[in-house]
Amino acid sequence: QDWAVRKRTIERRGGVTMLFARLSTTAAVLSICVSRVESSSKPNVLLIVADDQGYADIGYHNSTVLTPRIDALAKQGVILENYYVQPVCSPTRSSLMTGRYTYRLGTQATVIRADTPFGVPLKETFVAQNMQDAGYVTALFGKWHLGFYQWGYTPLARGFSEHLGYFQGTEDYYTHSGGGYGGTLSGLDWHRGNQTSYFGDNGNYSTYLIAAQAVDFLKRQASAQDQKPFFLYLPWHAIHGPNEVPAQYEDLYPVLKPEASASSQGMCGVCECPGIGELASGRHSGKWDAEFQRESVAQGGATWGQCRTVLGMAAALDWGVGQVVDALHANNQWESTIIIYTSDNGAQQGQGGTSYPLRGWKTMLYEGGVRVPGFISGGHPALPDSVRGTVNTKLVHLTDWLPTIVGLAGGSTTRNRPLDGHDVWAALTTDAPSPRTELLHNFNPACGEGYVNPDAGIRVGDWKLLVGCFNITTLTPNDGTKVELYNVTADPYETTDHSAEQPAIVKRLMARLAFYASSIDQVPPTLFWPFNGTGDMIRPWNYQCPQCPQGGAIPGPEGAHYDPWCEGVVCGQGPPAPAPSPQPAPPPPAPTPDCPQTWKVFNGGMGSAKNRDISIQPIKTWGLCCQLCTNTTNCKGWTFFDEANPTCHLHANTKDQHPGLSKRITGVVSPFE
């Protein structure tokens, strides 16, 4: 089929239909049982977060992207077109969960890495805790990225009754290995509840797993005797890297790269993807600069193959969201549910997504890093018919979701630290103005460190000020630092810097930055090593846990994995604890008799290998005599030696061609006889 036929087919079908072929919850997905739902004034709340979904990585902004289920959901509700988040993962998620700006949380500079003894401070109240206080059942399925060096920083300790997903910033979609800082995925990071890493989901695509768990949760809630409302938080992995997707989604898009524009030099930028050009004309008003268009394309740096995979990942995400929406309808929960949808930041440069026509990418305070798809939907009457199908241009920031959600639930935020967010529900559903007239994009006192750039930014009304480095001692920009001023209402593409011609506006917005910079309610930013501080005002000794070492993958019988590594460590003020004294090397293994060096052939085996010839070769390594099966298709029941873990191990699969990947059973030692 050509592209137009593919696109019409998907739109007509309303999404991609497929089976949960490998999931144990297939029956839950296919169930059409209608459960009893008691009427309640408190709505269920479904909070959906896409990962790295740029402004143009969604169908209602870009017809290239096949997201018909998400598009339909948006058009049944209210699309937000003046909506902002933080420019990267942990900053957005921490502000979303707390309703507070990142400089109060320690997440203003970068993400919380897998090796960092840091988490969102425990003195903060998460929205899930507020919802539990209001009588809600709470669940989180997907990405956390808010710290996990101790169990107290993980989801079940922060207000969620159920959890499935991963603790850190990314993982392999199939193996669920994480820790990819430095180029490798070094250990499994996948959890079902507050238990150590769970290996049982290996091989299953994470988008499928999250969808299946959500569908199962909704079914259980619909049939529960105690009909409490629910707060379901779904922070999907998609469309964050690594770029991985089942072939059927990637195959929805053309195999051959479309005709490339001259400026893109064969790369997938903003102009050559089918349908993307409509963003620069007609549907969006405002000045468009051809030179910036060429610059944006060149900076994209992704091949069409990468774009095609990311587009497929967006289609798979659309399928997953569709499964959840279908479950709401099947369980008679649609009319009692409010849905909030957002991305966490703009598109990742070079990954294959796009924030076109906005300037910048993920990690940047330009519009392309912080202005993303967002909408409200659902069938609950709190979202009146009069506003369904409309576009809202009132100013909204993701810190507004906590007070808005808790307000819908009839809850209280008195236990929370002072909020930076506002309850914006009336502004989204009536003619009331937005209570927000200002938003702090970021303030990072550790100038030049971390991912976020520029370090400081603020918007007041139509004007947005960006400062390369704002000094927290002088409360002024550092000498020589770059200062930019944009009218993002008249010029959403940030093509014209007004800082030189509007000094009064620059001064006024600088004063607002100074207000935040002088606040005593600050937490030093989580940065790269040394995590435990250097004793200065940016990295104080009481950083968070000076006594905790740098983390990493933990060895285990089933493989390396990521779990809290500082449990039981008492964190306090003062310099880091001294490094432990070097320990003497362990003595060599006790000598054992030499293993026989003869080969034996047996007519035997276990299971399907029974009565088959099995060749046995003796080896002696690390003082162990192991029976090494050399016929790798019939090795079940025999041992092999794993050099990475010096013991003999039992083969678990009669057709295992890679013994090192077999199930490990520690301590199985079979002296050769």
Side-chain angles (χ1 to χ4, degrees), residues 183-197:
T184 60
L185 298 174
S186 56
L188 183 131
D189 179 15
W190 191 257
H191 303 261
R192 286 184 175 269
N194 246 12
Q195 62 181 25
T196 56
S197 289

Side-chain angles (χ1 to χ4, degrees), residues 18-26 174 202-206 208-209 246:
M18 63 174 296
L19 297 177
F20 274 161
R22 294 175 292 173
L23 302 180
S24 61
T25 52
T26 303
Y174 292 99
N202 282 15
N204 291 321
Y205 193 62
S206 62
Y208 295 170
L209 291 170

Side-chain angles (χ1 to χ4, degrees), residues 122 129 151-160 194:
L122 298 180
Q129 294 170 299
W151 285 113
Y153 291 88
T154 60
L156 295 190
R158 310 217 69 167
F160 291 98
N194 246 12

Side-chain angles (χ1 to χ4, degrees), residues 129-366:
Q129 294 170 299
N130 293 123
M131 297 300 275
Q132 284 184 333
D133 292 345
Y136 278 66
V137 176
T138 59
L140 182 161
F141 308 133
K143 175 175 173 175
W144 182 237
H145 213 188
L146 295 174
F148 70 98
Y149 74 98
Q150 293 180 335
W151 285 113
Y153 291 88
T154 60
L156 295 190
R158 310 217 69 167
F160 291 98
S161 305
E162 295 188 25
H163 168 242
L164 172 137
Y166 55 109
F167 288 155
Q168 51 191 290
T170 190
E171 49 137 28
D172 185 276
Y173 279 78
Y174 292 99
T175 68
H176 311 297
S177 293
Y181 302 100
T184 60
L185 298 174
S186 56
L188 183 131
D189 179 15
W190 191 257
H191 303 261
R192 286 184 175 269
N194 246 12
Q195 62 181 25
T196 56
S197 289
Y198 178 71
F199 285 75
D201 286 332
N202 282 15
N204 291 321
Y205 193 62
S206 62
T207 299
Y208 295 170
L209 291 170
I210 294 168
Q213 194 71 18
V215 168
D216 179 69
F217 172 83
L218 294 175
K219 183 180 180 182
R220 286 187 284 110
Q221 291 307 117
S223 60
Q225 292 296 318
D226 186 5
Q227 288 289 301
K228 291 183 177 180
F230 62 78
F231 171 62
L232 176 56
Y233 175 38
L234 295 181
W236 301 83
H237 187 182
I239 56 177
H240 194 292
N243 288 8
E244 297 172 327
V245 70
Q248 62 262 40
Y249 299 105
E250 195 170 28
D251 289 346
L252 296 170
Y253 298 90
V255 174
L256 299 178
K257 180 179 67 62
E259 182 70 18
S261 62
S263 61
S264 70
Q265 297 180 340
M267 309 302 280
C268 178
V270 296
C271 297
E272 68 232 25
C273 299
I276 194 80
E278 65 194 39
L279 287 166
S281 62
R283 292 178 61 185
H284 288 259
S285 60
K287 176 183 176 183
W288 178 246
D289 182 83
E291 180 61 32
F292 173 66
Q293 175 177 330
R294 289 191 290 272
E295 175 188 350
S296 180
V297 173
Q299 288 179 351
T303 66
W304 169 246
Q306 288 176 294
C307 288
R308 187 170 177 262
T309 302
V310 169
L311 290 168
M313 293 159 71
L317 170 65
D318 185 75
W319 172 84
V321 171
Q323 293 296 310
V324 177
V325 172
D326 288 346
L328 289 173
H329 285 288
N331 294 314
N332 279 355
Q333 295 163 320
W334 171 258
E335 293 184 353
S336 58
T337 301
I338 290 293
I339 299 173
I340 298 170
Y341 184 99
T342 178
S343 178
D344 65 339
N345 46 249
Q348 171 69 54
Q349 183 175 354
Q351 193 78 25
T354 178
S355 295
Y356 180 89
L358 304 177
R359 181 179 184 178
W361 304 87
K362 174 182 177 178
T363 75
M364 300 181 183
L365 297 184
Y366 296 110

Side-chain angles (χ1 to χ4, degrees), residues 69-125:
R69 300 300 303 272
I70 297 175
D71 298 345
L73 202 60
K75 293 171 184 177
Q76 290 172 352
V78 179
I79 295 175
L80 311 181
E81 287 293 357
N82 201 5
Y83 172 62
Y84 291 87
V85 296
Q86 296 306 117
V88 69
C89 306
S90 296
T92 281
R93 294 160 202 277
S94 60
S95 285
L96 178 63
M97 289 292 102
T98 64
R100 285 163 53 85
Y101 287 140
T102 56
Y103 81 101
R104 307 185 193 273
L105 308 172
T107 55
Q108 64 270 60
T110 187
V111 300
I112 301 174
R113 292 166 47 121
D115 58 357
T116 309
F118 184 87
V120 176
L122 298 180
K123 62 185 177 182
E124 300 293 338
T125 300

